[in-house]
Every structure is written in structure tokens, then in C-alpha cells.
Amino acid sequence: MKPSYSRVVFVAMLFFMVTTTECKKSCGFKAIFNFGDSNTDTGGFWAAFPAQGPPHGMTYFKKPVGRATDGRVILDFLAQGLGLPFLSPYLQSIGSDYRHGANFATLASTVRLPQTSLFVTGVSPFSLAIQLRQMKEFKVKVDEHHHKGKTNLPSPDIFGKSLYTFYIGQNDFTGNLARIGISGVKEYLPQVVSQIASTIKEIHALGGRTFWVLNLAPIGCYPAFLVELPHNTSDIDQFGCLISYNNAVVDYNNMLKAALAKTRKEIADANVIYVDTHAVLLDLFQHPTSHGLKYGTKACCGYGGGAYNFNQQIFCGNTKQINGTTVTANACKDPQNYVSWDGIHATDAANKLTAYAILNGSYFDPPFPLHHYCDVQPID
């Protein structure tokens, strides 16, 4: 039986505290290459389209640094736990260091590139296919620049010693829910899952051998979707989340899990791991106080107050006129008490708790002996 999330986090935190002064600071993974959307974007989108302003970054960095949260994204914590520095965005030309990997994720990215009227506008042009092409180009540059002296690039043998992480698909799922509904979205989700699997196989051909694929979060608990998506009051569960949408997420995650199991058989010399981020986040939304938080389905940064503190006319940090009045979507003073930062993304606090659970190893399928590869480091 899978241990309760509360116990997992407690044990993990105890482990990190005990090993703080005893860790060996070594890991078999010399780099991380990440593919994703805003949930793991460390500055790629705003490097390409500079626009981010306060209050993003207020908790940890004390200024906007390209994360769609008050502090760190889950990727930052995972890297820290593996003893690696924060990943530089592939699209950030100034100040980047790629010796320990690169981050291809950008805000609003999708798995499938929007090519037909089925997709709404407003998504990132950096789909998973483009991110894969960037990865291939990166590898070519690494090979070309080897033996050319000091560089911010890794050695060519890094690709077989790296961890490849995927946290993408949420925008494919949510982008058209309000317009074509769950049944319409479900029609193309098999293609989303298939493309993730084929991407893994292409990276395997480049030398990649360990892949972590984080599943889809319980979007029916996010304040933005509780406000935006059509539903009846009977569709709200005892925790304030949308039943039908969360059930659809479970269906997608099961489809993803089955596709990864098939991929695992096709590339038997690789570790293809399904990471159940959904279970962790769902428990945070349902039982925030059990994890030291206060608010589950209410956004820290938003406008409108009430149960969700989210208004789809004005997003976090923006100022505009609504009904003739100039208003600002401000941040709360205590983001450490919230699961949701801006109605769509998790807070630094929620990302940290999720990373604790993942690094503890209880949410891998199949079981992955992370401690055989790394002396997991404390995360702060």
C-alpha cells in the first residue's frame, strides 16, 4: 500500500534534516534536461518575450526571474535535491551556464503544436516538438565546441549521464475545455500521450537513459479553472474541486501511464518513470492544513477576494480598468500559506512539498531506486 502523503513528507523532511551535514554531495546524474510548460519554466518564455514584473519571485528571488510563481518551480527543487544548480533556460543568452543541463520549458507550451482551429490562440510557439529540436541542436553545438577551451557547455558524454524530465500537457488539456468541453478535448489526448512517448524514444536514440514524466495536476482544484470552466454546483466535491474535470485528468494520467509502460518495453535498457505528481498536489489542495498551509482553492495573487480570489479579466500583477474602476491584482502577504500562487500555478511552498515527496521516491512507477544514483541533498 502506498504510504500517506503526510507521512511521506514528514519522513522526507526528517531525512533531509538528518543528512544535511553528512551528505556526500555526489550524484550519478551530471545534468538535467527538462521539457515542459510554465510549471517548470525557469525563464525561457520571458527571455524570448520580456514582460514579467512584480510580484513574481517575491518569496525567494525577491524579484521577477522568469518563474510563474512567487519563488521556485518544482524543477528548481528537484535540481537542488540532486546536488545540481538551477537550470538555465535554453532561450536565455546572457548569463547562462549549461554545464549541468538546460531547460527547454516555456510558459504556455503544449505537446501538440497548434495547427488547426481546434486550438485557441495564446499558446507558446515552443511546443514539445520544437523543444526536442532545440535539444538536438544543443547536442550538435556541444559536440562542435568540444576541445575548444573554456566553455559554459558540458562535455559530449553528458547526455548518457543525464536525467530527462517532462512536465507538459496541461495546456493541451485546458486550452479548449471551456469551448469544446471534456469530450472534445479527449479526442486528441491520445495524440498528446503518443507524442510524449515518441519524444522519449528520440532522446533515447541520442543517448538518454533515464526519463521522469510528471503526470497532469488536478486542474479541477485550481482557482482559475473553478472560475472559468462551466459547471454545476453538483460538480463540486467536498473539498471544493471540480469532479468531472478531475476525473478527466485521471483518465488522461492513466492513458499516459499505459503509454509509458509500452515505451518501457520498447527501450528496455532505459528507465522510463511515471511520476505521480497528481497524487501529491491533490492532497495539498484537499488537505492544506495537514501540510502546514491554510488555503487550497484560493489564489494568493489575484483580484476579487472571495473563495477563489481570481478574476479572469485581470491576472496576477496587472492593473486595468474593470467596470470603469482601475484595479490591481495584488499578491497576498503570506504566499507560504497557499497552494496556488496566481490561480493557475503552485506557490514556492507547494512546489517544495511536492519535490520532497518525489525525491523521497514514493511516487515513482515503477519504483526507481534514486538513492542508488544520488545522495539526495537537503532542499531549503
Side-chain angles (χ1 to χ4, degrees):
M1 180 180 296
K2 180 178 288 187
S4 70
Y5 172 57
S6 301
R7 178 169 176 76
V8 166
V9 170
F10 173 76
V11 172
M13 293 181 74
L14 180 63
F15 170 77
F16 290 139
M17 289 187 288
V18 169
T19 59
T20 299
T21 59
E22 301 176 357
C23 54
K24 299 176 184 177
K25 297 187 177 179
S26 63
C27 185
F29 298 124
K30 303 306 179 185
I32 299 175
F33 292 98
N34 180 68
F35 305 82
D37 51 32
S38 56
N39 290 304
T40 53
D41 187 352
T42 54
F45 184 87
W46 280 289
F49 308 103
Q52 192 185 40
H56 294 291
M58 60 180 277
T59 295
Y60 183 79
F61 300 100
K62 310 303 180 184
K63 63 179 181 180
V65 290
R67 275 82 164 164
T69 182
D70 61 308
R72 293 155 290 185
V73 293
I74 189 171
L75 180 65
D76 293 320
F77 290 110
L78 294 178
Q80 187 179 18
L82 300 182
L84 299 173
F86 293 163
L87 290 193
S88 291
Y90 176 78
L91 295 172
Q92 182 174 286
S93 59
I94 299 175
S96 291
D97 185 341
Y98 300 113
R99 288 175 295 176
H100 297 285
N103 187 11
F104 303 99
T106 66
L107 178 148
S109 286
T110 55
V111 173
R112 292 182 68 214
L113 183 65
Q115 294 176 327
T116 71
S117 59
L118 177 65
F119 289 87
V120 296
T121 58
V123 299
S124 167
F126 304 106
S127 66
L128 181 58
I130 298 299
Q131 292 180 28
L132 175 61
R133 287 165 64 180
Q134 291 173 334
M135 168 73 198
K136 290 179 177 180
E137 180 69 9
F138 181 86
K139 188 175 186 303
V140 169
K141 296 301 183 185
V142 168
D143 293 337
E144 289 178 349
H145 286 78
H146 189 48
H147 301 310
K148 288 189 177 181
K150 188 176 181 180
T151 176
N152 66 344
L153 298 176
S155 61
D157 65 350
I158 197 75
F159 300 99
K161 303 174 182 177
S162 298
L163 172 65
Y164 297 84
T165 53
F166 295 77
Y167 197 8
I168 191 168
Q170 181 168 308
N171 296 312
D172 297 87
F173 191 94
T174 62
N176 287 279
L177 275 175
R179 187 167 65 89
I180 61 177
I182 293 174
S183 59
V185 170
K186 280 186 174 182
E187 290 183 9
Y188 63 82
L189 289 181
Q191 299 173 44
V192 172
V193 168
S194 176
Q195 189 148 347
I196 292 174
S198 65
T199 301
I200 290 173
K201 285 183 280 190
E202 287 201 52
I203 296 174
H204 175 264
L206 298 175
R209 289 298 180 268
T210 303
F211 305 88
W212 289 2
V213 184
L214 282 60
N215 64 5
L216 196 64
I219 61 102
C221 295
Y222 281 89
F225 303 123
L226 282 160
V227 171
E228 294 176 352
L229 296 177
H231 62 276
N232 298 318
T233 54
S234 60
D235 198 27
I236 300 291
D237 66 18
Q238 60 179 317
F239 304 106
C241 299
L242 295 165
I243 298 170
S244 59
Y245 294 100
N246 274 352
N247 286 344
V249 168
V250 171
D251 291 341
Y252 168 82
N253 285 340
N254 287 336
M255 189 188 311
L256 175 64
K257 188 175 182 180
L260 294 179
K262 182 174 182 291
T263 304
R264 196 175 301 121
K265 293 179 180 178
E266 294 171 345
I267 49 174
D269 62 337
N271 294 303
V272 180
I273 309 301
Y274 173 84
V275 185
D276 195 3
T277 316
H278 176 276
V280 184
L281 284 168
L282 183 63
D283 200 59
L284 290 179
F285 276 115
Q286 293 179 339
H287 308 286
T289 57
S290 297
H291 308 291
L293 308 175
K294 292 183 179 179
Y295 308 103
T297 57
K298 182 178 181 179
C300 163
C301 186
Y303 174 75
Y308 306 127
N309 191 37
F310 181 85
N311 187 311
Q312 55 192 353
Q313 298 180 68
I314 179 170
F315 295 105
C316 174
N318 292 338
T319 298
K320 65 180 298 186
Q321 280 201 344
I322 296 181
N323 298 325
T325 302
T326 300
V327 299
T328 300
N330 291 311
C332 64
K333 297 184 183 300
D334 58 340
Q336 72 276 8
N337 289 320
Y338 289 73
V339 177
S340 177
W341 163 239
D342 57 0
I344 302 171
H345 306 99
T347 58
D348 181 282
N351 282 326
K352 182 177 182 178
L353 289 169
T354 306
Y356 270 135
I358 292 173
L359 292 170
N360 175 264
S362 299
Y363 291 86
F364 293 135
D365 190 328
F368 180 71
L370 179 58
H371 64 283
H372 288 172
Y373 291 84
C374 295
D375 298 312
V376 179
Q377 305 299 300
I379 55 178
D380 57 29

